[in-house]
Amino acid sequence: MAHPGIRGEVWQLQPYGHGAAPPADAIRLHANENPLGPSPLAVEAIVKAAADSNRYPDAGCSKLRSALAKMHEIDENCIVVGNGSDELIHLLGLLFLQPGVSAIAADPSFVRYYAAPPLAGATLHRTPLDVDLKHDLDSMAECFDHATRLVFVANPNNPTGTLVGADDLETLLDRLPDPALLVLDEAYFEYVGAPYSRGLDWVREGRNAMVLRTFSKAYGLAGLRIGVGFARPDIIDAINRAREPFNVGSIAQAAALAALQDQEHLAKTRTLNDEGLRTFHAFCAAYGLRHTDSHANFAFIDLGKDARPIAQAIAHKGVLVRAGLGLDNWIRVNTGLPEQNQAFLDALKEHLE
């Protein structure tokens, strides 16, 4: 029996996780990780920073924020660093949501958007993707009213990898009610080949927009949990008042700062990902499988039948992928090393022939 003091909204949520820890020798193509691992410069910084683990970290992530401000030509007061982007999404829920107001997110999209509203007793509007599995921004705008407070757009989207253009997003932003905030989650920003986002421009202009980025994906630091938010100073000030002190560890800060300096590693990551997507999409063409136009570090593939038992069967062969992400016939597989990609395709073939 649940403790009677726990708020009822909590039981609407599902614990986040991938089940039991996978075997050490499993091929991990299920978590959208960087198969190259962290930059060697980041690893070196991790080892060095570990020696000072008896000291509390810089509570304001000042060095990292300074480096990000210089890189993006934006004021440091427009930057906050979190324990992953997940923490920043949670904090936005604390700041903006309460009973009687609402948030909007696409379906399917990143599951953490769905957790913030019920925790705050707020309403969540989930709008279906369009026929190309992109955000249907018109449908999202149709949900706008005086109660709207947060609008989440993952761009590229997870799990589909699809992208919406800056002009369409600006139209959405123009229609946004004054009390609301457009949250642009750009976790896969570094994988998109051409400039596509004007989110930071909108932040510089002081508009009601926030951009989320992460070091978990292209920078290969998922295990250290470090995300970044860009917004106008009053929003950042509010987040800093609500967040935990020392929310980002010193090792994570040092690793992220070093990772920013290694653009060669980032370029190798992009190249490997592009090759992996081409391999997956060529396989889809050969077998007549539909796939999205993914701009992230994963392919999203329609198997034409329930993908969940196939994902389980592939896992028994030591290759981990994801299914059951809101579209039952679709499977999400992140790009790995060439031999890992081939192991997945070899295992998948058995269920297509």
Side-chain angles (χ1 to χ4, degrees):
M1 179 181 294
H3 190 289
I6 297 174
R7 292 167 48 206
E9 295 91 347
V10 172
W11 305 115
Q12 299 178 35
L13 308 177
Q14 294 295 324
Y16 186 83
H18 299 302
D25 60 349
I27 297 175
R28 297 172 56 98
L29 302 181
H30 67 306
N32 301 346
E33 298 162 337
N34 185 340
L36 294 179
S39 155
L41 296 183
V43 173
E44 182 181 345
I46 288 168
V47 173
K48 185 177 179 180
D52 291 324
S53 294
N54 58 313
R55 307 295 184 191
Y56 283 103
D58 173 5
C61 300
S62 56
K63 291 182 180 178
L64 180 57
R65 287 173 52 245
S66 177
L68 289 165
K70 183 178 181 180
M71 170 183 285
H72 297 294
E73 299 181 344
I74 197 168
D75 193 293
E76 288 183 36
N77 293 323
C78 294
I79 303 173
V80 65
V81 183
N83 190 260
S85 298
D86 293 359
E87 183 195 23
L88 299 178
I89 293 167
H90 178 70
L91 289 169
L92 288 173
L94 292 178
L95 295 175
F96 283 85
L97 300 180
Q98 59 184 318
V101 304
S102 65
I104 303 168
D107 184 14
S109 193
F110 185 46
V111 296
R112 298 314 296 169
Y113 310 149
Y114 309 148
L119 279 175
T123 299
L124 172 64
H125 299 291
R126 294 166 69 150
T127 61
L129 302 177
D130 68 14
V131 294
D132 295 317
L133 299 186
K134 296 181 179 182
H135 280 73
D136 188 336
L137 300 183
D138 287 335
S139 292
M140 298 183 87
E142 288 172 3
C143 295
F144 290 175
D145 60 22
H146 68 280
T148 305
R149 293 296 182 272
L150 293 175
V151 180
F152 293 103
V153 176
N155 201 33
N157 188 40
N158 177 15
T160 62
T162 49
L163 200 65
V164 291
D167 289 344
D168 292 333
L169 281 172
E170 187 158 25
T171 299
L172 185 73
L173 181 59
D174 290 341
R175 299 173 67 179
L176 196 71
D178 281 342
L181 182 71
L182 176 62
V183 184
L184 300 173
D185 188 348
E186 298 179 350
Y188 302 94
F189 173 84
E190 290 81 8
Y191 290 104
V192 182
Y196 75 98
S197 172
R198 292 204 295 269
L200 293 185
D201 291 335
W202 300 331
V203 170
R204 296 184 192 98
E205 294 166 4
R207 303 197 67 182
N208 289 335
M210 183 169 188
V211 175
L212 302 179
R213 303 268 176 90
T214 183
F215 285 88
S216 294
K217 306 304 181 185
Y219 288 107
L221 298 176
L224 294 183
R225 313 307 302 129
I226 186 160
V228 181
F230 301 86
R232 65 182 198 229
D234 60 310
I235 297 171
I236 300 300
D237 182 33
I239 292 173
N240 280 326
R241 293 167 187 263
R243 69 173 173 83
E244 296 292 330
F246 310 114
N247 62 324
V248 179
S250 53
I251 293 175
Q253 292 184 44
L257 187 61
L260 289 177
Q261 313 308 314
D262 196 343
Q263 292 300 304
E264 180 181 354
H265 186 76
L266 189 60
K268 289 179 180 177
T269 295
R270 289 196 194 99
T271 298
L272 182 68
N273 184 65
D274 291 345
E275 292 171 352
L277 286 177
R278 284 194 294 269
T279 296
F280 289 154
H281 292 166
F283 178 90
C284 290
Y287 281 82
L289 299 176
R290 179 188 176 199
H291 64 83
T292 61
D293 182 17
S294 177
H295 294 267
N297 67 338
F298 54 83
F300 197 54
I301 302 170
D302 182 1
L303 300 185
K305 53 188 173 182
D306 193 341
R308 291 168 293 185
I310 297 175
Q312 293 173 0
I314 291 173
H316 290 146
K317 292 184 175 293
V319 182
L320 307 181
V321 296
R322 292 294 303 278
L325 295 171
L327 295 167
D328 291 344
N329 290 355
W330 293 72
I331 200 165
R332 191 193 72 191
V333 51
N334 76 254
T335 58
L337 300 174
E339 60 272 21
Q340 296 173 330
N341 298 337
Q342 191 59 51
F344 160 69
L345 297 177
D346 289 343
L348 180 59
K349 283 179 188 177
E350 298 180 14
H351 301 275
L352 303 177
E353 297 174 341

